[in-house]
Amino acid sequence: MTLAGNEVEALTQLRRQLHQHPELRFEEQQTAATLQRLLGPLGRLHTGIAGTGLLLELNSAAPGPAVLIRADMDAYPVSDAKEVPYASRTPGVCHACGHDVHMTVAYGVAARIAGDPPPAGSVTVLFQPAEEIPFGADSGAAAVLADPALADRRFDAVLGLHCWPGLPAGALGVDRTTAMAAKDAFRVELVGRAAHAATPASGRDAILGLATTVTALHAAVARAQNPDDLVAFNIGTITGGASQSQVAERAEATGTLRTHDPAARARLKQAIERVAVGQADALDLDLRFTWANEMPPVRNADQLVALADAVLPGLVDLHPLSVPPLTTDDFALLGALGPSLYVKLGVSNGTVGGAPLHSGSFDVDERCIGVGVTVLERLTRAVLAGGLAQPGTTIPAQPSARAEPGRVTGAADR
């Protein structure tokens, strides 16, 4: 199950093409057109999924297990800071989260499955728009689930991967239970009464109220969590006021809470609301509090973790991960379609790939592409061969007819 040299080159060029032409959420028209030309000859292709998404169906000659592979399509609203030939040509937009790699890997798997079809089962490859979700905006995964093309569908395995700067190229991280955290975004809007700065007693200062609220929220969240809770809390934006000489009538802040444990999540959300209400009352301000983009955690199914442990050693440098991150992903919603597995694809080599996600400097060691294709193809073929129905059974390797000798080069081969 190795990639031939011409496959690696073609996939690398596709990734660079996608990287040069990034598009924001629900605007992935050119991205979809590029993929449509490649995917059309492979199988039954549905276009316009949730607006700009694509759904490729690859059916074998006989019924059997069903696998869904998901790749996200949208880029991030940040300028590309890299000085490379394939840098983004769209000002202020960049594939800073690796979605170009995710799409390239998914296409690579689809092409190999189509070229060497399994004897039974089906593979569906979803290219999902709009994984990046600004405050209050819609989730692409939620839109996909509402699309008729996926109505009443169920799968034996839902697979995906995410580029991971914390792991070297050639490595794959597999979280034991939770792959991504739950997310709860919030907005605190305080409304007072405007007044001239020379007569502050006739006004009610929303900016003062927001300043004390921000400080109180950080303190309250810190004191409402236990030492073993995995929690991230952030106030990311503050706006308000109209003039330096006016007592501000309105001010607002937005932030995010990230958790893993449902009990901690509920406890901290209550603390945040309680503090916001208390601070507003103390300064006689009106409060408008909003939760948005509430997303469950990404859970890895036990049987798929076990399958990865059984079939991936020897193909990649497998890293069992015991401490899940506090990043989030709407892949979590696709768990409604069946047991899911979301793995972390190592992308760094010490020089390239070490910049954090959502940074304009983010890049990857492109050898990770072949590793990703190998991993998802191996997992897919193992599921189709009955690996989930027969736990503990050794699934024989099924090398592609197009493969050449040698394994995908990873960090361990350098």
Side-chain angles (χ1 to χ4, degrees), residues 77-91:
V78 64
S79 295
D80 197 337
K82 303 185 299 298
E83 294 184 3
V84 292
Y86 51 86
S88 170
R89 297 179 182 178
T90 306

Side-chain angles (χ1 to χ4, degrees), residues 17-18 21-23 27-35 37 90:
Q17 180 181 357
L18 294 171
H21 303 285
E23 294 171 295
E27 298 177 4
E28 306 95 339
Q29 300 287 353
Q30 183 176 350
T31 301
T34 297
L35 293 169
R37 289 191 293 270
T90 306

